[in-house]
Amino acid sequence: MTDSGSEKTVPAHKIAGSKSIPFRLIEQKEEANSLVIVLPGAGYTTKAPLLHFTTGLFYTKGFDVLHINYTFSREEMSVLSEVDFTRDVQHAIDNAIKNKKYRNYYVVAKSIGTIALSHLLNNAMYKGAKAVWLTPLLQRDDVFNALVNSDHKGLCMIGDRDSCFIEERFEKLKKNQNLILKVIDGGNHSLELDEEPIKSIEILKGVISNINEF
């Protein structure tokens, strides 16, 4: 990632009835008409390899990059409402881009971020947006159904050693012509190989290349 762009980092503030989410908007030097929204995992932050390099990739393509930096305790995760979560994510997005006029959207979601992505795509704001699903939570009906029925162009990547990989459900995704599907042999929930750091770097390179071509 380059440091040449300007950034806006906004801390969380108390909002009645919701968990306010901090965000970071990385802007091009010149006004951009394209935005990528990055929704991280619960413990897999935007600084982790997949999302760090995704950020750099889109920035060099001329996109503004919006990181939605939620954090959840184990207790909060156990009672997380997808409706409240999605509402709070959208609120953070609205706050970040309230003075912007983007015409082109990508949304990159990792793990728990795919819960919000599943519901955000119903918003007219994202009509025509492209979606990158990294290790989606296929065990969840809302995520699975969103992928099966999505009319958005999508790139879905998951490892076959990921506990969220359900082969029967993944096979059903192949019926959706809008999806490009990639299974990482031996990949875990971080799309890495256990105890294989060098090979994991090769996988990372492949994943970022796939996103680049999408």
Side-chain angles (χ1 to χ4, degrees):
M1 245 297 290
T2 176
D3 288 327
S4 59
S6 63
E7 298 181 10
K8 294 178 182 176
T9 301
V10 176
H13 297 286
K14 294 292 184 184
I15 298 175
S18 71
K19 177 184 174 68
S20 185
I21 298 173
F23 60 81
R24 177 188 182 210
L25 180 63
I26 306 168
E27 299 175 276
Q28 299 286 331
K29 287 183 176 179
E30 303 294 331
E31 186 173 358
N33 61 17
S34 297
L35 177 72
V36 59
I37 300 165
V38 182
L39 306 176
Y44 198 96
T45 72
T46 53
K47 296 180 180 179
L50 289 168
L51 302 182
H52 169 76
F53 287 105
T54 294
T55 294
L57 175 68
F58 277 95
Y59 189 82
T60 58
K61 285 175 173 285
F63 282 69
D64 284 354
V65 183
L66 176 58
H67 290 169
I68 304 299
N69 294 315
Y70 41 74
T71 54
F72 294 102
S73 67
R74 196 173 294 272
E75 291 74 19
E76 287 173 322
M77 282 290 296
S78 67
V79 295
L80 184 65
S81 157
E82 63 270 17
V83 174
D84 292 343
F85 178 39
T86 304
R87 177 199 63 200
D88 294 345
V89 167
Q90 184 61 54
H91 185 83
I93 293 169
D94 291 341
N95 275 343
I97 66 173
K98 57 190 172 186
N99 297 317
K100 300 286 187 178
K101 293 182 180 179
Y102 296 111
R103 297 195 297 272
N104 181 31
Y105 289 94
Y106 274 69
V107 185
V108 178
K110 170 77 174 78
S111 188
I112 192 178
T114 63
I115 298 174
L117 176 56
S118 300
H119 299 274
L120 288 174
L121 291 179
N122 295 322
N123 189 323
M125 170 182 169
Y126 304 106
K127 181 177 171 51
K130 289 188 174 183
V132 178
W133 306 76
L134 299 175
T135 67
L137 306 187
L138 294 180
Q139 72 274 23
R140 290 184 58 103
D141 289 342
D142 53 351
V143 175
F144 172 64
N145 289 330
L147 277 160
V148 167
N149 300 312
S150 179
D151 56 4
H152 291 77
K153 294 294 184 184
L155 172 63
C156 174
M157 290 182 276
I158 191 168
D160 63 4
R161 296 292 180 88
D162 186 342
S163 61
C164 298
F165 179 72
I166 302 170
E167 189 168 5
E168 179 185 354
R169 286 195 160 193
F170 191 82
E171 286 297 314
K172 291 180 180 178
L173 299 184
K174 294 179 180 179
K175 296 178 181 178
N176 187 337
Q177 299 291 313
N178 292 312
L179 298 179
I180 299 170
L181 303 171
K182 305 281 184 182
V183 178
I184 309 301
D185 291 339
N188 60 23
H189 194 54
S190 297
L191 291 183
E192 298 175 3
L193 302 183
D194 293 334
E195 300 180 9
E196 294 276 5
I198 303 301
K199 290 181 181 178
S200 294
I201 292 171
E202 290 299 317
I203 289 173
L204 173 64
K205 180 181 177 181
V207 170
I208 299 303
S209 294
N210 285 323
I211 295 173
N212 182 48
E213 293 164 6
F214 174 54

